Structures are given as C-alpha cells and as structure tokens.
C-alpha cells in the first residue's frame, strides 16, 4: 500500500483564530489551493484576516462576556465550520490551540483536526503531566510543585499556568507570604486567557537560556527535530526576540536537545508540528545541563525563524501530515544562514509595558521583501495582523507584527533586522520599536555568552527603553513640525493674499510654537519668517527647505530630512505629529495657545490609564493604604495590571467594581492623601503583575 492510499485531502480549512496567525495560515491555504474560512466577532468584519479569506463565518459573543470568549467556545467554532462547509480546522496558536476538548469536538464532528491527537494534547497540555511523561521517556525535567507544598527552602519559585503559555498566569515569588495572593492572581489570568485556572510552581532559575526544539512528526513513524531556537530575550515572561539556530551552543548540547525532543515525541506518538521547550542554566563555565519545561502541541509564534533557515513551510506540513502524508525524508533539511524575529508590540516599555491603543494611522516596513513566507535568498519577512487605519484596542494580545531577518550569519541578520525596524513607519499607536532597535545593538545580545532570560530588567532595561531620539533631536523635530505646519496652511489662513507663509506685521518678534512630547515635556520652537525665508533662533541650525510633509535642516554642517506625518484627532486623543528622521521618530502634540477650559478633576482621583476590565478590587472605602499598595487590578490586552496608591492615604471612594469594563480616564478610586499639602498626581502607569526588575523562566 502506498502512502497516498492513506491521504485524505483537505478541501476547505477553517482557521479558529484571528490576526497575524490567521493571515499566516490563509497564505498557505492559497498556495495549496485549499479553500479558506475565517471567523470573527462583532466589530471585526473588516479585519485583515477576514478580508483575505474565501468564506467568512461570524462568532456570537456570549451574553455579558467579551470578544475573546467567542474564540474560546468550541461549540461555536465547530458550528461555524459546519455552516461554512469546512472539512478541517487549524487552531493557530493561543485560544483553544492546546485544548483537547476542542480537538475532540472537531474530530467528533467528522472534521480533520490539524494538530496532534486529543489524547496527546491532553498529556502534553498539562505541564505537570507532561513533566511526568518526559521523565518516563528519559528526558531531564524541572520539578513541579503544588502551590500548597511550597516551603521556604523551595524559594524562589515560578507560578505557572498548567494550560496555555505566552507568559500569562506566571509570577515569580520570593517571599512565602506573597505566594497565596500571586497564586490567586495567576489563576484568574490563566482562566481568562485559557479557560483553565489550574497553576503549579517550579524552581526559579535566576540566569537561564530558553532554548526550544521544533518537532515535525508524521503518522508513519518519522520524527524530525527541525533545529532549535533561542528565545531568551523576554519581557514579563513573554518572548521579544527569537532566533535560529540558537547561538553559541556546544554541538554536544545541541545534539542532546534534539535527541530529547525526538525521544519525547516518539514516546507519546506525536504527529504534526510541536515544540519541546528547555531551560539551559547559564554558568561561568558556559551553558549547563538542560531541563525540560513543557511541550507546546501547536505552532509557535516564532516558527518563521525556523522556516527561514530550513526553507520549510511548517503550516503546509501541518496540513499535509493531518491529511496522512509522510515526511519526505528520514532527516530534516540542514539550516542555512541565521534568522532573528522581533515581536512588535503596542506597548510602552518605559511605563512598565503599559498597553498602547488608538488608530494605527501608518504601518509600513519598507525593508520587507516577503510577507508570511520565507524571502527568496536573504531578506526581511513581515507577518502582521494589522494594517494602516486599523484600531488597536485592549481586547486582544498587543502583538502587532513579527519582523524577521534572514541573513548569511548572525551579524548579518542582526544588522538587517535593526535597519528594517529603524526605517518602519509606525504612526498613531505607541510601540516597543525603539527598545527593539536598542536591544539589537546591545553588546549583551551580540555576545551569545551573555544571553539569559533576565536581560530586560533593572538598569539595563531603563537604558534600553530610552527613545532613539534624544532631546536635541526632539527640538529639531519640533522645529520641523512648526515650519511644516506654516507651509501646510499657506493660502488657507487669515494671511493677506499674496503674502508669504509665516507673514506677520511685527517682523522683529520671532514666531513661537509649542509642542508636547510623548512623556509630557513642552518644547518651544522660535524662528523668524520673512518672505518665505525661515531663520531659527537656535544656533547652528539652518533651514534648507520646507514642505508640508518634509523639512530639511542643517545642524552643525550636517543635513538631515525630517518627514512629517499628521495624525488627526480622535475621541479621547488629540491630534499628533510624527516626525521621522535618521535619528529616530518623535511624537509631538501641538499645544493650543488658547486651550478650552477643562473640567476640574478631584485631585485624589486615580483615572484608568487604559481601557480594560476590572478583575479585582483589593481595598475598601475607609481603608488606610500605603504608597505602592495595590488598590485594584485590571485586565488589558490579556495581561493583568495593578493600579497602586501614589502616596499614603485613605480610600474615600471606589466607583468601580470587579467585572466592569471601563474606558481610559474612568475614575477607579479616590484617595485622601496624608502627610502632604498637595496630593500627588495620578500614577504614571499601573504596576505590572509580573515584576520587571527580575529575571524570568519561560
């Protein structure tokens, strides 16, 4: 009997996901000639993944719940597949991708499940059970502890969700008194993200490398270890950079990791794509002995780096294996070159990773040569879930895109990726782009011996999170924005007909325009304008040309163009100006010289720093609180954030309750502060549920 006799072709595939991963799967469907089905919740009718699918099915949102819950409803997804005429389901990653009950429901409905069998997902989906299975297969394993059994001698420990991943439901605990509260918070976050509140603890390694092995296995007994990836650069236990092959690993250690992953896959009868994750302790003598952490029974977010270095389409092989096709050779392709992926998030690293929201007015990565597929030769790949004009909210993960550079070697890939990010147009929503560019040039990343999961912490994080543009660049950008604004209103303002832009009847007095930076500082630009000639008051600066969207300045004999992009005002957000140059992008808000009087706000009120859902209220009216104490917790972009007291005081009002969805600016609590004549202003940001001054296990 030939292998073709076991093949059951997929003709219509429903992608039980959204955003970037849905678009990625749709691209492979088009290449294979498979009809594609997208799903969406209300408000997503015009989302990119919806527009690109052949067939679209709506998902109902359960009454009183949010849109995420629709993607966590197996019955609704199976019903959507039936209604759309799909004969197979691909789960993507996140949501129900590692839910055995969903896999069973798909198969019971007579559909093809693109993934391992439900029994395998069950055994590997529970991280505690997966550790026992791995130990039985001879794979070295990190101990798992029941939270109730943790003692002082076990500290520090990492609280982890039994189901799911992506850093959600994870907490580092160093004090036994803090364990119950952190376990409760982890359970709440895990239940929201994965529908399973169960958690466990494992020993916390201060300095370790997160190395994972990509597996492909068919139903005919062939198991490939398709190389490994290093994912040690993380924030809040979530990966920020991933690369393949893992740099600086001794060949013997690399071989042990591959063998352990193959042995585990073979022991459980694994089929499809999966990832075995390991923690490699970092010692003064180099990498230590690896321990198994977990197995992800799905496609990983970082799979593009493996695709780039191997030339494989992992989604294609997921589908082919689900159809029954065997892998084409006993061994996988050898890696070629080096690939690095950067995750572009809508967040602010300078303010404890606060999520950023709004309208994405411009989104373009000019260096990208391929989209959702491996570049021909070496180049830059872009996998993105958003387009210019899209609204970025707080219901879903803050990942906007993955930018992947494939180079001849690691240095080539680092340089390509840094240039691609530096030249990207990202206007309207704050991102971690500047942080990524600084990381890519940091000596601790360039030297593989310095890699570990705690890199983005402490003083190094403070330094890396600085904007690329310094104060001098901000002043130049503000001047460019001021001159461009004058040129933009030529012929449209109250200036006499025929007079040059910037004309005024007191030529001796300079123009003054004010802008506010993203962090609230005010910049004053002063310049003279006579018959279209602009002369800045600042020394060493010359204006070479002015247009509404481009100003060329010469500073100390160096000429630089400044591109101007204006973002219109939206409800709750004033208009802004994005000024881009080779020195970085500066976001400015024009300051109205005659502002409209604002409604007085209670000086003790703490407004919501972002839209979100209140998950817990930790204090009561009349309670005394100390500076830094948690008052409330709220969820935004599937991460929990803590609202803390900016100073000692007493809780006067609590106008919100758990479960309530609130827009940005909503008063969450009102405090009467003690010990100060003037109460402090509202906190700059919430405090993250995952401490940012500590290292992390993946």
């Amino acid at each position: 009997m030939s292998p073709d006799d076991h093949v059951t072709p997929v003709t219509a595939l429903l992608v039980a996901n959204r955003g970037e991963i849905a678009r990625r799967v749709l691209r492979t469907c088009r290449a294979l000639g498979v009809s594609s089905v997208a799903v969406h919740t209300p408000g997503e009718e015009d989302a990119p993944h919806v527009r690109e699918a052949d067939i679209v099915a709506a998902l109902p949102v359960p009454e009183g719940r949010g849109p995420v819950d629709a993607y966590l409803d197996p019955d609704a997804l199976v019903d959507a597949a039936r209604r759309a005429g799909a004969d197979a389901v691909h789960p993507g990653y996140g949501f129900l991708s590692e839910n055995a009950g969903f896999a069973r429901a798909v198969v019971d409905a007579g559909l093809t499940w693109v993934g391992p069998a439900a029994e395998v997902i069950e055994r590997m989906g529970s991280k505690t059970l997966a550790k026992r299975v791995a130990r039985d297969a001879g794979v070295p394993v990190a101990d798992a502890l029941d939270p109730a059994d943790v003692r002082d001698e076990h500290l520090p420990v990492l609280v982890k969700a039994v189901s799911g991943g992506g850093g959600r439901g994870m907490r580092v605990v160093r004090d036994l008194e803090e364990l119950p509260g952190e376990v409760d918070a982890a359970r709440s976050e895990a239940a929201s993200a994965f529908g399973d509140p169960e958690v466990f603890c494992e020993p916390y390694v201060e300095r370790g490398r997160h190395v994972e092995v990509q597996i492909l296995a068919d139903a005919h007994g062939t198991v490939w270890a398709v190389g490994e990836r290093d994912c040690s650069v993380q924030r809040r236990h979530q990966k920020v950079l991933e690369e393949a092959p893992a740099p600086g690993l001794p060949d013997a250690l690399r071989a042990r990791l591959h063998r352990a992953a193959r042995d585990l896959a073979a022991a459980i009868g694994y089929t499809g794509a999966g990832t075995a994750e390991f923690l490699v302790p970092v010692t003064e003598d180099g990498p230590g002995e690896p321990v198994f952490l977990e197995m992800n029974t799905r496609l990983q977010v970082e799979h593009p780096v493996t695709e780039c270095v191997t030339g494989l389409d992992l989604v294609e092989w997921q589908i082919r294996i689900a159809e029954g096709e065997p892998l084409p050779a006993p061994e996988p392709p050898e890696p070629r070159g080096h690939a690095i992926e950067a995750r572009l998030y809508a967040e602010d690293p300078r303010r404890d990773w606060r999520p950023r929201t709004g309208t994405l007015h411009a989104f373009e990565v000019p260096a990208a040569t391929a989209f959702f597929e491996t570049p021909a030769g070496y180049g830059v790949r872009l996998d993105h879930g958003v387009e210019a004009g899209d609204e970025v909210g707080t219901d879903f993960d803050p990942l906007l895109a993955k930018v992947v550079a494939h180079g001849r070697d690691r240095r080539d890939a680092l340089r390509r990726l840094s240039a691609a990010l530096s030249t990207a147009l990202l206007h309207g929503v704050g991102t971690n782009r500047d942080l990524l560019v600084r990381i890519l040039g940091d000596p601790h990343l360039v030297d593989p011996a310095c890699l570990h999961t705690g890199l983005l912490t402490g003083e190094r994080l403070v330094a890396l999170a600085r904007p690329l543009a310094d104060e001098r660049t901000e002043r130049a950008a503000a001047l460019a924005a001021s001159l461009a604004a004058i040129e933009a209103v030529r012929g449209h303002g109250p200036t006499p007909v025929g007079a040059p832009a910037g004309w005024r009847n007191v030529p001796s007095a300079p123009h003054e325009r004010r802008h506010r930076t993203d962090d609230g500082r005010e910049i004053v630009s002063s310049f003279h304008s006579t018959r279209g000639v602009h002369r800045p008051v600042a020394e060493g600066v010359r204006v070479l040309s002015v247009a509404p969207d481009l100003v060329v300045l010469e500073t100390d004999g160096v000429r630089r163009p400044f591109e101007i992009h204006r973002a219109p005002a939206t409800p709750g957000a004033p208009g802004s100006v994005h000024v881009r140059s080779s020195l970085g992008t500066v976001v400015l808000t024009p300051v109205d010289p005659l502002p409209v009087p604002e409604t007085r706000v209670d000086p003790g009120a703490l407004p919501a720093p972002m839209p979100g859902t209140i998950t817990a209220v930790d204090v009561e009216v009349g309670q005394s609180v100390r500076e830094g104490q948690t008052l409330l917790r709220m969820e935004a972009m599937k991460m929990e954030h803590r609202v803390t007291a900016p100073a000692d005081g007493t809780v006067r009002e609590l106008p919100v309750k758990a479960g309530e969805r609130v827009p940005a600016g909503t008063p969450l609590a009102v405090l009467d502060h003690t010990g100060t004549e003037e109460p402090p202003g509202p906190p700059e940001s919430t405090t993250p549920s995952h401490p940012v001054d500590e290292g992390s296990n993946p």
Side-chain angles (χ1 to χ4, degrees):
M1 183 178 294
S2 71
D4 288 342
D5 294 332
H6 298 279
V7 172
T8 303
V10 169
T11 61
L13 179 72
L14 179 137
V15 185
N17 220 295
R18 65 179 301 280
E20 163 264 324
I21 185 56
R23 299 182 77 184
R24 166 69 189 89
V25 177
L26 294 176
R27 189 212 65 81
T28 292
C29 285
R30 288 194 297 272
L32 292 178
V34 174
S35 180
S36 59
V37 181
V39 292
H40 70 88
T41 58
E44 294 185 291
E45 291 84 356
D46 196 41
H49 77 280
V50 173
R51 294 197 302 267
E52 294 174 6
D54 298 318
I55 305 168
V56 178
L59 293 177
V61 175
E63 186 175 354
R65 308 297 294 274
V68 169
D69 296 292
Y71 288 96
L72 294 174
D73 187 339
D75 293 338
L77 290 162
V78 170
D79 178 66
R82 285 196 181 112
R83 286 186 283 120
D87 56 13
V89 173
H90 191 298
Y93 55 70
F95 294 132
L96 295 176
S97 60
E98 294 180 280
N99 187 293
F102 181 39
R104 284 197 182 92
V106 169
V107 174
D108 290 346
L111 309 175
T112 296
W113 169 253
V114 181
E119 294 73 23
V120 173
I121 296 176
E122 210 154 45
R123 296 175 74 189
M124 293 293 102
S126 166
K127 294 179 175 62
T128 50
L129 179 57
K131 289 175 182 288
R132 293 198 292 270
V133 173
R135 186 178 289 110
D136 292 342
V139 177
V141 173
D143 293 332
L145 299 168
D146 187 300
D149 296 333
V150 175
R151 301 291 180 265
D152 281 322
E153 60 268 24
H154 298 133
L155 298 175
V157 295
L158 182 68
V159 183
K160 298 180 71 173
V162 168
S163 302
R168 300 183 181 107
M170 296 177 103
R171 305 288 190 282
V172 176
V173 178
R174 301 178 185 276
D175 186 334
L176 204 58
E177 292 184 357
E178 297 178 358
L179 183 62
E182 296 295 351
V183 166
D184 288 344
R187 283 174 174 155
S188 174
E189 192 172 7
S192 174
F194 314 116
D196 181 359
E198 189 176 349
V199 300
F200 70 100
C201 297
E202 67 183 18
Y204 176 72
V205 176
E206 299 284 359
R207 289 175 61 89
R209 286 180 63 177
H210 179 176
V211 182
E212 59 190 31
V213 179
Q214 175 69 58
I215 289 295
L216 268 181
D218 62 26
H220 306 273
T222 301
V223 180
W224 281 359
V226 194
E228 78 294 330
R229 301 181 286 257
D230 188 292
C231 308
S232 300
V233 181
Q234 304 177 359
R235 61 90 163 107
R236 293 173 66 174
H237 313 288
Q238 289 189 311
K239 301 163 188 173
V240 175
L241 293 178
E242 302 100 346
E243 55 184 310
L249 287 188
D251 290 341
L253 174 57
R254 199 184 309 271
R256 283 202 301 277
L257 291 170
H258 289 197
R259 183 170 59 252
R262 285 196 304 267
D263 289 347
L264 178 58
I268 59 176
Y270 198 91
T271 56
T275 303
E277 303 201 355
F278 298 87
L279 184 67
V280 181
V282 176
T283 69
E284 292 182 357
D285 300 325
E289 287 300 309
V291 291
F292 171 77
L293 293 173
E294 63 190 47
M295 188 166 191
N296 296 127
T297 55
R298 54 169 169 81
L299 197 67
Q300 293 283 90
V301 178
E302 57 272 22
H303 74 275
V305 295
T306 298
E307 292 187 327
C308 284
V309 298
T310 63
L312 294 170
D313 182 331
L314 294 178
V315 175
E316 176 182 344
W317 277 106
Q318 282 186 296
I319 296 172
R320 291 188 182 280
I321 289 170
E323 291 176 323
E325 187 172 329
L327 290 168
E331 298 293 334
E334 289 293 320
R336 182 181 69 92
H338 197 94
I340 306 177
E341 173 181 292
R343 299 192 189 190
L344 192 65
Y345 286 106
E347 64 185 9
D348 189 345
R350 293 175 296 166
R351 296 181 177 89
D352 294 334
W353 315 101
R354 181 200 294 184
R356 305 297 294 267
T357 61
T359 302
L360 197 61
H361 296 291
F363 182 86
E364 183 182 351
V365 182
T369 57
F371 301 87
F372 303 101
E373 61 183 343
T374 299
Y378 299 112
V380 174
R381 166 177 171 169
L382 180 65
D383 288 22
H384 53 121
V386 295
E387 301 280 1
D390 286 349
E391 194 73 22
V392 178
T394 58
D395 287 320
F396 299 103
D397 189 273
L399 180 66
L400 300 178
K402 303 178 309 196
V403 185
V404 188
H406 184 206
R408 293 176 301 168
D409 51 32
R410 190 166 185 259
R411 183 170 60 179
D412 185 30
L414 284 168
R415 181 167 56 190
R416 289 174 185 266
L417 184 55
S418 179
L421 289 165
S422 298
T423 57
L425 277 71
L426 308 168
H427 299 155
V429 176
T431 72
N432 64 334
R433 185 263 300 278
D434 287 8
L435 171 71
L436 294 173
V437 174
R438 286 197 181 277
I439 292 173
L440 292 168
D442 185 70
H444 289 84
L445 177 74
V446 175
D447 181 2
C450 297
L451 281 175
H452 64 88
T453 56
L455 272 176
L456 295 188
T457 59
E459 292 303 317
R460 181 177 295 117
L461 174 61
V462 173
L464 292 173
R466 296 193 330 271
L468 292 175
D470 58 17
E471 289 189 17
R472 188 176 187 186
T473 302
E474 288 178 334
R475 290 194 295 271
L479 174 61
S482 300
L483 298 174
I486 288 178
E487 190 66 20
V489 299
R490 179 190 290 271
H492 297 286
T495 307
V497 176
W503 179 90
R504 54 195 325 206
N505 61 1
V506 188
S508 61
H511 277 282
E512 275 196 358
R513 293 205 173 214
R514 297 174 182 268
H515 290 87
R516 189 170 291 113
T517 64
D518 199 34
D519 58 2
R521 291 178 292 108
E522 194 168 283
I523 300 176
V524 180
S525 301
S526 300
F527 52 93
H528 295 278
S529 291
T530 305
R531 298 186 181 279
V533 178
H534 308 288
R535 292 180 293 109
V537 173
E539 294 184 6
V541 179
R542 291 180 57 212
V543 180
L544 301 184
S545 66
V546 177
D549 57 357
L550 182 67
V551 174
V552 180
L553 301 179
E554 182 180 277
T555 305
D556 297 332
V558 178
R559 175 186 298 186
R560 283 191 176 89
F562 291 79
E563 299 176 18
I564 313 297
H565 176 90
R566 296 173 187 83
T570 57
S576 58
V577 182
H578 299 254
V579 185
R580 190 176 74 139
S581 71
S582 60
L583 300 173
T585 297
V586 178
V587 182
L588 300 166
T589 302
V591 176
D592 190 341
L594 299 172
V596 177
E598 297 181 354
T599 303
R600 177 176 172 80
V601 178
D602 191 313
L606 301 180
M610 68 198 85
T613 300
I614 305 300
T615 57
V617 179
D618 296 286
V619 294
E620 299 177 349
V621 172
Q623 180 177 334
S624 296
V625 296
R626 64 186 184 277
E627 181 180 351
Q629 181 175 342
T630 299
L631 306 178
L632 308 97
R633 283 171 278 164
M634 62 186 300
E635 181 186 277
M637 290 186 173
K638 304 314 298 171
M639 298 295 289
E640 184 182 78
H641 303 263
R642 298 181 182 182
V643 178
T644 60
D648 296 348
T650 303
V651 179
R652 191 204 316 162
E653 295 179 34
L654 286 170
V656 296
K657 59 182 181 297
E660 186 175 345
R661 292 170 66 88
V662 297
T666 301
L668 303 179
V670 181
L671 303 184
D672 289 325
H673 299 281
T674 59
T676 57
E677 292 185 5
E678 288 292 330
E684 269 290 298
S685 70
T686 53
T687 300
S689 57
H690 311 312
V692 296
D693 59 345
E694 300 174 344
S696 65
N697 272 353

